[in-house]
Structures are given as C-alpha cells and as structure tokens.
Amino acid sequence: MENQESRCPFVATMNRSPCRDDEVEKCSMDMDIPMHDLVESSVDPIVLIDCEGTIRLANPACCGCFQYDQSELIGENISLLMPQPHASNHTSYIKHYLKTGIPRVVEKGRKGRRLPAKKRDGSLFPMFLTLSEAIVNGERLFYGVMRSLSAEEEERQVLAAMIDSCTDPIVMIATQGVIERANPACTKVFGYTNEELIGGNVTMLMPQPHATNHQTYIDNYLKKSHRSEHAKKSCPSHVIGKGREVTGRTKSGKEFPIFLSVSEFNVESTNNTRHGFIGIMRNMEDLIERKKSEALLANVLPHHICTRLKAEYQHHEKIEIADSFDNVTICFADIVGFTEFSSNRSPMQVVHYLNKIFRGFDNLVDKYSLEKIKTIGDAYMVVAGLDGDPDHIYKSIQFALDMLDVVSALNDEINDDGKHTFGIRIGLHTGSVVAGLVGTKRRFFDLWGDAVNTASRMESSGIPDCIQCTDVVAMEAMKFPKDFIVIPRGSMDVKGKGLMRTFIIAAKGRKQLTIENLELHRAHKRRASYLMHKKLAEEFNLETRDDRNLQLKGNFSFIMMIVTFILGAMTGHFYPQLFFKSSIRQSS
C-alpha cells in the first residue's frame, strides 16, 4: 500500500487529507492505479480542491498550462490560478454554494463556463471550466477539468482580423435585427461610429419603406425556414442565401446603391445557440464609376490594349505597349468640301453635322468589328485585322461602301434640292504595320508603317465619292464579283512611292458610282493620265499647278494649240474633249 501511495499522488494526497475519518461513507471514486494513469495522461488540465479552495491535486497538463511545478501548486489556494476579481471572491463563491446549494460554476453533467485564467508570469488566457463535486473518503471535494481556449481564441482573432481588414462593409445581426458586430469598412461607408452601430437596429442603414418592413422580412423568412423543402422552393427568400442590389442609407441621409449578400448562421456552444445573419455589402457607386471609366477607356482604345493597361495599373509601373501585325487593312477617309460647307455655318452647326457623320461611321465600326484609330479634323482612320480576322479586307470594303451611304444620306437631309454639298474620298491598302501606345498624358493608340502611308496616299489622290485602293485590295475584291465592281484607274505617281496601279471599287446594286461617272472624273482629272507616261510628260514639258490644271510650256505647246483650233473648225468638234477621251483610252 505504501508503494501504491508513492506512485499515485492522487491517492497520497487523499490520504494526507486532514479531514479523514474511519466512519465516513465509502469513496464514490475508486482511487486505484488505472485512475491515476488516466488523470496523469489527460491532455486537459485537471485540479482537485477542498472546501477551502486548497489544491490537492494538479496533473502534469495543469502544471504545464499554468507554468508551475507540481510541488508549487499542491497545498496552495486555487485563487493562485485566477485573475482579479475572481481570485479575491473565490472563497466566498464556495461558501455561498455550501450554504445555499446554488451553483455558479459547479454543475452536473457536462455543462461549464468560460473563465479567464492566469499563468505564473501573470499573462491571462481564456479557458473553459467544468467543475463537479465528489465525496472522497467522506470528504467533500471539487474537481475541475479545464480546456485552454488559446487556440480557439487565436482562430477567432484571425477571423476577426479578416473581417476587420475587409474593404467591403460587413455586419452581423441577431434575428431581431440588432447589430452585434460591424467592421471598420461599415463604419466608414455609412458614417457611424462602432459604438453607434453595436446594439442598434440594422434598419438604421436602410431607407424607407425597407426600414419599416425589415423585421417583417425576417419574421416571414424564419417562419418559412420551418416549412418543408417544397414550401421553401415555392416561396424562396429574395436576399437570404443569395445577393441582390438594394439601397443603403448613410448617417447623413445620403442614399446609394449597394449589392447585398446575406447568409444565415447557427453557432451551437455549451451554454447556448446563437442564430443570426451576416450581411456583406459592396458599394455599387465605386463599381458603377469603375465601369464608366472602363467604358470610356474602351471607347478610346482597343480591348486588348485596355486589358494590358489594367495590368499596368495593378503593378504600378509603366509598360511599353507595341505590337507588329503582318496583314491588316487600313482605311482613310476625308470629307471633301467640308471646309467650304462649314464657313457659312455657326460652330455649333459645324460640330453637329461632323458629329452626325462620325457617329454614323462609329456605328459601322461596331457593325463590322473594326478598330477606330483616330480622327484628325474631318479625316477618319480605321484598321481591320488587329484581331486576326481573315475577312478584314472584305469587311473594310463593305465598311467603306457604307461610309458613302452615310455621307449621301446626310447630303440629302441638308439639301432640299438634292445637290451634294460635300463628298468623301476613301483610300484602302493592306500590309504590315506596327501598333502601339505612346505618350504619358492623353496617351493614344496609333499605327505606323509603309502600309499606313500608302493608304493615306490612296485617299489623298482619290476621287470624291469613290473608294480608291491598291492592287492587293483589288485582287481580294475580285474574288466577290457578285458584291463588288473593280475598275482599273491606271498607274499613278504616288508621292513617296512612285508609279502605282490603283483601282476604284464600287458596289453592285448601289447608286454610288457608275462607269460613266468615273469617265467624267477621269476627263476632269487629267493629271493622272498624263503622268502615267513619264517620257511623254517630259517630252511635252508638262507640270501641274493644282489637281485640275496642266500647263503646256515651250514652242511645241503653242503649235499644238493652233492645230487644235484648226481641227476643231474642220470637224465641228471641240478638240479638248476628243483629246481627253483619247487620253482616257490610252490610260485604260
């Protein structure tokens, strides 16, 4: 027996009890070796105290948790392990229970309560204490099983930190609508302090009539939650378990749109069960403004450039954006006669009509999925094929033909007599370009390369109300004889390029351009026909004053004028007309 007592501090402690009596009732606990091993090996702290609060037993887990040696705890008062005011009042708690039988901590079964505890170094930590009464060798004792809540508390603190650091407002309310928790983002967005929100009703965050009807919403939902699944599906909640756009109201009375997601929670603890709702809100004002900014950016820059700019903004660094494209179609258009048209009208009228034209062009850009590059004055530049579309030439031609219709419709609207006030020159070319974003202020997307210059020359040397293109575009248009008419215009001396074969594209079934009109334009635009034959031009010493006039210099020009007059008198035909027609036939 002596060896057993030395091995079992629990039994030894009981035997040293000053309250021992040979006639006491048999101990309700069997203090044998297996019980000792069970107590010693428990991972939860266990203590045994008497009616005075003196510690009779402390297992190794208890010593480790409170940072004491076993010899330092045995014989000391349990108040050593408690902070104030519990340490001073603990003895009175026991006396009150012994006198009245009304427990504060001592409970039957597995009930307990959360209490603060104190370590040897004075640091406090939460614990969950279950305290029960036992009769050992006739002595009334109390044994407590503790569970440290440090890990649980740490987890709660991490969760609380996550909620507090969230940029979206979050509130936790009870089933009566009382706010139990609100994160800093909620106080910032709604303009309340945390003290004003906690304990208040969530209706303070919403306008009428939702504020008045809110509790009815909750009551109806709680009633439905007890119904069958079929009843829930037939009459679902509008907010719980999902999200919707609602209106919030700040402390100052300002109303603003928010997207609200509400979830229901049930937390079961030893003492009670908590039931409530968590609401996560997103200020839609910021989202709406961001969407407006993105839409504005998308109107200025291509989609793939906008995506890369967002990445630049997120990484807080400037990115050089440049790409090369081997096969794209560039379209230049210029309003002919708009300067004269605008000279007789007010600035508002000028902007109105120009805006009307460009809006029509913009609609066509969306229709054919092209990329508008820029407008310079009354000029308009578009590119097709940046997205790798294989039909970019076909779409560009259709786009150009529709541009003619837009200008023609506006002319008909402006002039009651049907006289065209202004026209449009359009140039097309296909080739390789470099595209990129340049500048730091008012950054713009542009194209560079020989193909861009060539397309610009096709426009500037073109014929009003016609589409002039290079052979690359013409060859593609010839693949669709049912849609397009391709008319060779001849070779032209293009600035910076030399002689180039050019073509006019018209559409079948459209009242835009006929061959007769083209011949008339050729007759009035003699320069292209003459310069096609450079040697002939040098022989006759020709030079141009402008796009419509040529001057013959030297003696040969004087002789030619006399011959023209004589032939005209003999034949009855005006020579320049015949001369121009022969020039047209030669150029053809």
Side-chain angles (χ1 to χ4, degrees):
M1 183 67 180
E2 183 178 355
N3 293 336
Q4 181 176 330
E5 290 179 357
S6 63
R7 286 185 59 195
C8 183
F10 186 86
V11 176
T13 304
M14 296 300 102
N15 291 337
R16 288 195 297 269
S17 172
C19 302
R20 182 178 179 182
D21 188 349
D22 293 338
E23 297 181 356
V24 294
E25 297 178 9
K26 182 180 179 182
C27 179
S28 60
M29 299 176 62
D30 186 10
M31 301 304 175
D32 55 6
I33 298 300
M35 179 60 70
H36 163 266
D37 293 339
L38 181 63
V39 172
E40 290 290 305
S41 62
S42 174
V43 295
D44 288 330
I46 298 177
V47 294
L48 185 70
I49 64 172
D50 59 19
C51 296
E52 300 297 327
T54 304
I55 299 175
R56 298 290 189 86
L57 169 70
N59 71 341
C62 181
C63 298
C65 181
F66 288 91
Q67 301 174 348
Y68 285 97
D69 291 334
Q70 195 174 54
S71 59
E72 293 176 315
L73 289 178
I74 302 301
E76 296 294 332
N77 194 280
I78 191 65
S79 60
L80 179 69
L81 308 180
M82 304 177 186
Q84 296 295 343
H86 300 288
S88 301
N89 299 331
H90 184 262
T91 303
S92 63
Y93 295 159
I94 296 178
K95 289 181 179 181
H96 179 269
Y97 172 71
L98 294 174
K99 181 179 179 180
T100 63
I102 301 175
R104 293 189 177 182
V105 180
V106 181
E107 297 285 352
K108 293 181 180 181
R110 300 180 60 183
K111 292 184 178 180
R113 63 181 299 186
R114 187 176 183 273
L115 294 172
K118 184 178 72 172
K119 296 183 180 181
R120 182 173 186 170
D121 59 6
S123 62
L124 304 180
F125 69 96
M127 70 173 183
F128 188 80
L129 173 62
T130 302
L131 191 60
S132 301
E133 185 180 6
I135 304 298
V136 180
N137 296 332
E139 183 180 8
R140 202 172 187 181
L141 299 176
F142 303 94
Y143 65 92
V145 180
M146 294 169 280
R147 181 165 57 91
S148 175
L149 297 180
S150 298
E152 183 178 337
E153 189 66 23
E154 183 179 358
E155 187 175 329
R156 289 179 180 176
Q157 289 177 359
V158 171
L159 182 60
M162 291 174 60
I163 294 175
D164 290 342
S165 62
C166 184
T167 57
D168 291 330
I170 299 177
V171 293
M172 183 172 68
I173 65 172
T175 54
Q176 296 78 26
V178 178
I179 300 175
E180 297 181 349
R181 184 182 181 88
N183 69 339
C186 185
T187 60
K188 180 180 178 180
V189 170
F190 287 92
Y192 290 95
T193 63
N194 194 61
E195 291 74 16
E196 291 174 323
L197 288 176
I198 304 302
N201 198 285
V202 73
T203 55
M204 63 196 300
L205 306 180
M206 59 186 72
Q208 295 295 344
H210 302 290
T212 303
N213 300 331
H214 183 262
Q215 191 57 44
T216 305
Y217 300 154
I218 295 180
D219 293 340
N220 290 338
Y221 172 77
L222 293 176
K223 290 178 182 178
K224 295 172 188 175
S225 64
H226 297 290
R227 300 178 185 176
S228 63
E229 291 297 325
H230 176 73
K232 292 180 183 179
K233 292 180 180 179
S234 62
C235 190
S237 168
H238 293 291
V239 179
I240 308 297
K242 60 182 73 174
R244 65 176 296 187
E245 188 172 337
V246 296
T247 304
R249 186 175 184 272
T250 64
K251 183 179 179 179
S252 62
K254 177 186 174 182
E255 297 182 7
F256 63 100
I258 59 174
F259 188 84
L260 173 64
S261 300
V262 180
S263 300
E264 184 180 10
F265 71 87
N266 284 285
V267 179
E268 295 184 2
S269 62
T270 306
N271 293 331
N272 56 12
T273 299
R274 297 181 64 186
H275 183 200
F277 305 94
I278 295 178
I280 302 176
M281 295 164 277
R282 172 159 294 184
N283 189 347
M284 295 294 290
E285 281 186 322
D286 298 337
L287 185 61
I288 292 173
E289 290 299 323
R290 185 159 57 249
K291 286 184 177 180
K292 287 181 179 179
S293 300
E294 292 177 357
L296 181 62
L297 192 64
N299 280 334
V300 179
L301 299 173
H303 175 73
H304 69 282
I305 298 297
C306 295
T307 303
R308 292 161 74 175
L309 280 179
K310 290 178 185 178
E312 174 185 291
Y313 176 78
Q314 292 173 355
H315 291 86
H316 304 285
E317 59 181 7
K318 294 293 182 181
I319 302 175
E320 287 191 358
I321 299 177
D323 300 291
S324 60
F325 300 89
D326 296 332
N327 191 23
V328 297
T329 302
I330 303 100
C331 174
F332 275 94
D334 185 65
I335 308 299
V336 180
F338 193 81
T339 302
E340 294 80 5
F341 173 83
S342 60
S343 62
N344 299 324
R345 287 167 174 80
S346 66
M348 291 300 296
Q349 288 179 313
V350 172
V351 173
H352 169 74
Y353 289 122
L354 191 61
N355 187 45
K356 202 163 187 178
I357 295 174
F358 284 172
R359 277 188 175 183
F361 294 169
D362 291 344
N363 293 334
L364 297 177
V365 167
D366 294 336
K367 176 182 177 181
Y368 293 106
S369 300
L370 311 182
E371 289 291 348
K372 176 183 176 181
I373 301 301
K374 60 185 175 181
T375 59
I376 304 175
D378 54 6
Y380 196 90
M381 179 182 178
V382 172
V383 64
L386 293 182
D387 56 354
D389 188 352
D391 298 327
H392 57 88
I393 297 180
Y394 182 88
K395 289 184 177 180
S396 297
I397 297 174
Q398 292 284 13
F399 169 77
L401 292 170
D402 287 350
M403 292 177 84
L404 297 175
D405 292 337
V406 170
V407 175
S408 177
L410 184 61
N411 279 327
D412 294 340
E413 178 183 331
I414 296 175
N415 300 282
D416 296 333
D417 56 1
K419 182 180 179 181
H420 288 263
T421 303
F422 46 79
I424 181 172
R425 284 194 309 265
I426 302 175
L428 295 175
H429 179 58
T430 297
S432 60
V433 297
V434 173
L437 197 65
V438 293
T440 55
K441 293 184 178 180
R442 296 183 180 179
R443 302 172 74 181
F444 66 95
F445 181 77
D446 207 348
L447 305 179
W448 300 271
D450 183 68
V452 178
N453 298 332
T454 303
S456 177
R457 297 291 183 262
M458 290 297 101
E459 175 272 314
S460 60
S461 62
I463 302 171
D465 299 327
C466 292
I467 303 170
Q468 180 170 258
C469 66
T470 58
D471 52 359
V472 180
V473 179
M475 292 297 291
E476 183 68 21
M478 291 177 185
K479 296 179 182 179
F480 304 95
K482 294 182 179 180
D483 298 329
F484 308 124
I485 301 173
V486 180
I487 307 170
R489 190 183 178 194
S491 297
M492 296 184 59
D493 188 8
V494 179
K495 182 179 179 182
K497 299 293 293 182
L499 284 176
M500 290 188 67
R501 293 175 60 195
T502 61
F503 299 82
I504 301 297
I505 295 181
K508 284 190 175 181
R510 298 199 193 191
K511 296 179 180 179
Q512 291 176 334
L513 177 68
T514 62
I515 295 179
E516 291 76 11
N517 289 335
L518 179 61
E519 294 291 344
L520 182 61
H521 279 297
R522 284 178 171 177
H524 289 288
K525 300 286 183 176
R526 301 187 307 274
R527 179 169 65 97
S529 299
Y530 281 117
L531 295 183
M532 183 183 65
H533 308 284
K534 277 191 171 183
K535 292 183 179 180
L536 183 62
E538 292 173 358
E539 181 180 350
F540 286 97
N541 195 18
L542 301 175
E543 69 174 13
T544 59
R545 289 184 178 180
D546 52 39
D547 289 339
R548 297 183 180 181
N549 299 301
L550 290 172
Q551 183 182 15
L552 294 176
K553 299 176 66 177
N555 296 330
F556 184 78
S557 61
F558 177 76
I559 295 173
M560 288 297 297
M561 290 175 63
I562 295 177
V563 172
T564 299
F565 179 80
I566 295 173
L567 291 176
M570 294 174 61
T571 61
H573 295 284
F574 183 56
Y575 174 76
Q577 184 180 11
L578 296 176
F579 189 76
F580 295 156
K581 288 185 179 181
S582 64
S583 299
I584 292 173
R585 285 193 293 272
Q586 292 175 6
S587 63
S588 302

